[in-house]
Amino acid sequence: MIEIEYIVKDNNGIERFRTQDKKAADAYDRMLENAQRLAQLLRSDAVLPTLSEADMEELTIYLVRNAPIVERIFKGKTIETHPTPMWKDSESI
């Protein structure tokens, strides 16, 4: 029997996610890329200049994971008080 496993690593080569589902691996990789882009934007505009790299990573990943909720907020729509993240805790980084 052949098993294929997908491993998503960050830019530093640190393993962040492991799965046998290619779609899940691709989605997780996109999430990490989007969080990195968001962090670059916040750093280049000097937003939260004293925020540590670890805290910036945590913030941007949180915002990307909750993008649909953030979009609803930007559109002025109401949101649930307990949003459901895209990934379960067991799959968090």
Side-chain angles (χ1 to χ4, degrees), residues 1-79:
M1 182 166 123
I2 298 174
E3 290 185 23
I4 297 174
E5 190 167 57
Y6 298 93
I7 301 169
V8 180
K9 295 182 179 184
D10 63 16
N11 289 340
N12 298 321
I14 298 171
E15 182 179 322
R16 305 304 289 261
F17 185 67
R18 184 182 291 248
T19 184
Q20 293 180 343
D21 182 2
K22 182 175 182 349
K23 286 184 180 181
D26 288 341
Y28 201 86
D29 186 48
R30 280 191 308 276
M31 185 218 31
L32 288 178
E33 288 173 358
N34 289 337
Q36 183 180 20
R37 286 186 196 109
L38 183 56
Q40 288 172 345
L41 172 69
L42 295 173
R43 289 287 185 218
S44 70
D45 287 346
V47 176
L48 304 169
T50 60
L51 194 64
S52 71
E53 287 299 319
D55 289 342
M56 178 65 80
E57 180 179 341
E58 186 175 339
L59 172 64
T60 56
I61 288 174
Y62 175 84
L63 291 171
V64 171
R65 282 184 172 167
N66 293 285
I69 296 165
V70 173
E71 289 174 19
R72 288 186 60 85
I73 291 169
F74 287 155
K75 292 177 181 178
K77 297 180 180 180
T78 59
I79 60 168

